[in-house]
PDB file of all heavy atoms in Angstrom:
ATOM      1  N   VAL A 665      18.253   4.037   8.027  1.00 97.00           N
ATOM      2  CA  VAL A 665      17.443   4.824   7.103  1.00 97.00           C
ATOM      3  C   VAL A 665      16.319   3.932   6.556  1.00 97.00           C
ATOM      4  O   VAL A 665      16.430   3.307   5.518  1.00 97.00           O
ATOM      5  CB  VAL A 665      18.298   5.524   6.014  1.00 97.00           C
ATOM      6  CG1 VAL A 665      19.069   4.546   5.138  1.00 97.00           C
ATOM      7  CG2 VAL A 665      17.472   6.467   5.167  1.00 97.00           C
ATOM      8  N   PRO A 666      15.217   3.854   7.322  1.00 97.00           N
ATOM      9  CA  PRO A 666      14.150   2.906   6.963  1.00 97.00           C
ATOM     10  C   PRO A 666      13.112   3.504   6.004  1.00 97.00           C
ATOM     11  O   PRO A 666      11.920   3.427   6.264  1.00 97.00           O
ATOM     12  CB  PRO A 666      13.530   2.599   8.329  1.00 97.00           C
ATOM     13  CG  PRO A 666      13.727   3.858   9.117  1.00 97.00           C
ATOM     14  CD  PRO A 666      14.965   4.538   8.598  1.00 97.00           C
ATOM     15  N   GLY A 667      13.571   4.052   4.881  1.00 98.00           N
ATOM     16  CA  GLY A 667      12.621   4.600   3.909  1.00 98.00           C
ATOM     17  C   GLY A 667      12.437   6.087   4.115  1.00 98.00           C
ATOM     18  O   GLY A 667      11.473   6.522   4.748  1.00 98.00           O
ATOM     19  N   SER A 668      13.389   6.879   3.595  1.00 98.00           N
ATOM     20  CA  SER A 668      13.398   8.326   3.814  1.00 98.00           C
ATOM     21  C   SER A 668      13.871   9.019   2.541  1.00 98.00           C
ATOM     22  O   SER A 668      14.456   8.390   1.663  1.00 98.00           O
ATOM     23  CB  SER A 668      14.360   8.683   4.959  1.00 98.00           C
ATOM     24  OG  SER A 668      14.008   7.970   6.123  1.00 98.00           O
ATOM     25  N   ILE A 669      13.614  10.325   2.486  1.00 98.00           N
ATOM     26  CA  ILE A 669      14.059  11.104   1.332  1.00 98.00           C
ATOM     27  C   ILE A 669      15.311  11.869   1.744  1.00 98.00           C
ATOM     28  O   ILE A 669      15.285  12.658   2.697  1.00 98.00           O
ATOM     29  CB  ILE A 669      12.952  12.070   0.871  1.00 98.00           C
ATOM     30  CG1 ILE A 669      11.675  11.277   0.525  1.00 98.00           C
ATOM     31  CG2 ILE A 669      13.427  12.871  -0.346  1.00 98.00           C
ATOM     32  CD1 ILE A 669      10.437  12.150   0.327  1.00 98.00           C
ATOM     33  N   LEU A 670      16.408  11.609   1.046  1.00 98.00           N
ATOM     34  CA  LEU A 670      17.684  12.269   1.341  1.00 98.00           C
ATOM     35  C   LEU A 670      18.035  13.213   0.190  1.00 98.00           C
ATOM     36  O   LEU A 670      17.466  13.120  -0.891  1.00 98.00           O
ATOM     37  CB  LEU A 670      18.793  11.225   1.515  1.00 98.00           C
ATOM     38  CG  LEU A 670      18.536  10.105   2.535  1.00 98.00           C
ATOM     39  CD1 LEU A 670      19.782   9.220   2.690  1.00 98.00           C
ATOM     40  CD2 LEU A 670      18.127  10.668   3.902  1.00 98.00           C
ATOM     41  N   ARG A 671      18.995  14.116   0.476  1.00 98.00           N
ATOM     42  CA  ARG A 671      19.433  15.002  -0.615  1.00 98.00           C
ATOM     43  C   ARG A 671      20.743  14.502  -1.194  1.00 98.00           C
ATOM     44  O   ARG A 671      21.611  14.018  -0.455  1.00 98.00           O
ATOM     45  CB  ARG A 671      19.537  16.449  -0.151  1.00 98.00           C
ATOM     46  CG  ARG A 671      20.543  16.724   0.914  1.00 98.00           C
ATOM     47  CD  ARG A 671      20.645  18.240   1.197  1.00 98.00           C
ATOM     48  NE  ARG A 671      19.999  18.598   2.450  1.00 98.00           N
ATOM     49  CZ  ARG A 671      19.134  19.589   2.582  1.00 98.00           C
ATOM     50  NH1 ARG A 671      18.788  20.333   1.563  1.00 98.00           N
ATOM     51  NH2 ARG A 671      18.607  19.835   3.767  1.00 98.00           N
ATOM     52  N   ILE A 672      20.872  14.596  -2.493  1.00 98.00           N
ATOM     53  CA  ILE A 672      22.138  14.255  -3.161  1.00 98.00           C
ATOM     54  C   ILE A 672      22.497  15.362  -4.145  1.00 98.00           C
ATOM     55  O   ILE A 672      21.652  16.154  -4.549  1.00 98.00           O
ATOM     56  CB  ILE A 672      22.066  12.892  -3.910  1.00 98.00           C
ATOM     57  CG1 ILE A 672      20.923  12.863  -4.931  1.00 98.00           C
ATOM     58  CG2 ILE A 672      21.959  11.740  -2.935  1.00 98.00           C
ATOM     59  CD1 ILE A 672      20.920  11.623  -5.824  1.00 98.00           C
ATOM     60  N   LYS A 673      23.778  15.384  -4.493  1.00 98.00           N
ATOM     61  CA  LYS A 673      24.309  16.364  -5.447  1.00 98.00           C
ATOM     62  C   LYS A 673      24.812  15.607  -6.668  1.00 98.00           C
ATOM     63  O   LYS A 673      25.528  14.609  -6.529  1.00 98.00           O
ATOM     64  CB  LYS A 673      25.478  17.106  -4.775  1.00 98.00           C
ATOM     65  CG  LYS A 673      25.537  18.558  -5.131  1.00 98.00           C
ATOM     66  CD  LYS A 673      26.548  19.275  -4.269  1.00 98.00           C
ATOM     67  CE  LYS A 673      26.154  20.681  -3.833  1.00 98.00           C
ATOM     68  NZ  LYS A 673      24.944  21.280  -4.288  1.00 98.00           N
ATOM     69  N   LEU A 674      24.457  16.079  -7.849  1.00 98.00           N
ATOM     70  CA  LEU A 674      24.865  15.389  -9.070  1.00 98.00           C
ATOM     71  C   LEU A 674      26.068  16.082  -9.697  1.00 98.00           C
ATOM     72  O   LEU A 674      26.196  17.305  -9.627  1.00 98.00           O
ATOM     73  CB  LEU A 674      23.719  15.387 -10.075  1.00 98.00           C
ATOM     74  CG  LEU A 674      22.409  14.723  -9.644  1.00 98.00           C
ATOM     75  CD1 LEU A 674      21.374  14.831 -10.763  1.00 98.00           C
ATOM     76  CD2 LEU A 674      22.633  13.261  -9.267  1.00 98.00           C
ATOM     77  N   ASP A 675      26.926  15.294 -10.318  1.00 98.00           N
ATOM     78  CA  ASP A 675      28.009  15.842 -11.129  1.00 98.00           C
ATOM     79  C   ASP A 675      27.484  15.974 -12.553  1.00 98.00           C
ATOM     80  O   ASP A 675      27.337  14.987 -13.279  1.00 98.00           O
ATOM     81  CB  ASP A 675      29.215  14.893 -11.085  1.00 98.00           C
ATOM     82  CG  ASP A 675      30.377  15.410 -11.928  1.00 98.00           C
ATOM     83  OD1 ASP A 675      30.142  16.257 -12.807  1.00 98.00           O
ATOM     84  OD2 ASP A 675      31.514  14.953 -11.693  1.00 98.00           O
ATOM     85  N   GLY A 676      27.165  17.222 -12.920  1.00 97.00           N
ATOM     86  CA  GLY A 676      26.470  17.487 -14.180  1.00 97.00           C
ATOM     87  C   GLY A 676      27.270  17.184 -15.431  1.00 97.00           C
ATOM     88  O   GLY A 676      26.765  17.336 -16.543  1.00 97.00           O
ATOM     89  N   THR A 677      28.533  16.753 -15.290  1.00 97.00           N
ATOM     90  CA  THR A 677      29.327  16.467 -16.495  1.00 97.00           C
ATOM     91  C   THR A 677      28.969  15.108 -17.093  1.00 97.00           C
ATOM     92  O   THR A 677      29.381  14.802 -18.206  1.00 97.00           O
ATOM     93  CB  THR A 677      30.844  16.499 -16.191  1.00 97.00           C
ATOM     94  OG1 THR A 677      31.124  15.521 -15.180  1.00 97.00           O
ATOM     95  CG2 THR A 677      31.279  17.871 -15.702  1.00 97.00           C
ATOM     96  N   TYR A 678      28.216  14.284 -16.366  1.00 96.00           N
ATOM     97  CA  TYR A 678      27.866  12.954 -16.900  1.00 96.00           C
ATOM     98  C   TYR A 678      26.523  12.991 -17.624  1.00 96.00           C
ATOM     99  O   TYR A 678      25.564  13.578 -17.109  1.00 96.00           O
ATOM    100  CB  TYR A 678      27.804  11.922 -15.763  1.00 96.00           C
ATOM    101  CG  TYR A 678      29.160  11.635 -15.192  1.00 96.00           C
ATOM    102  CD1 TYR A 678      29.586  12.266 -14.029  1.00 96.00           C
ATOM    103  CD2 TYR A 678      30.027  10.757 -15.838  1.00 96.00           C
ATOM    104  CE1 TYR A 678      30.850  12.028 -13.509  1.00 96.00           C
ATOM    105  CE2 TYR A 678      31.289  10.515 -15.321  1.00 96.00           C
ATOM    106  CZ  TYR A 678      31.695  11.160 -14.153  1.00 96.00           C
ATOM    107  OH  TYR A 678      32.939  10.911 -13.663  1.00 96.00           O
ATOM    108  N   PRO A 679      26.459  12.346 -18.793  1.00 95.00           N
ATOM    109  CA  PRO A 679      25.187  12.322 -19.545  1.00 95.00           C
ATOM    110  C   PRO A 679      24.021  11.763 -18.727  1.00 95.00           C
ATOM    111  O   PRO A 679      22.873  12.124 -18.944  1.00 95.00           O
ATOM    112  CB  PRO A 679      25.481  11.396 -20.736  1.00 95.00           C
ATOM    113  CG  PRO A 679      26.955  11.335 -20.841  1.00 95.00           C
ATOM    114  CD  PRO A 679      27.525  11.628 -19.487  1.00 95.00           C
TER     115      PRO A 679
END
Side-chain angles (χ1 to χ4, degrees):
V665 61
S668 304
I669 302 168
L670 306 185
R671 63 175 105 229
I672 56 172
K673 217 170 218 356
L674 301 179
D675 180 340
T677 59
Y678 291 98

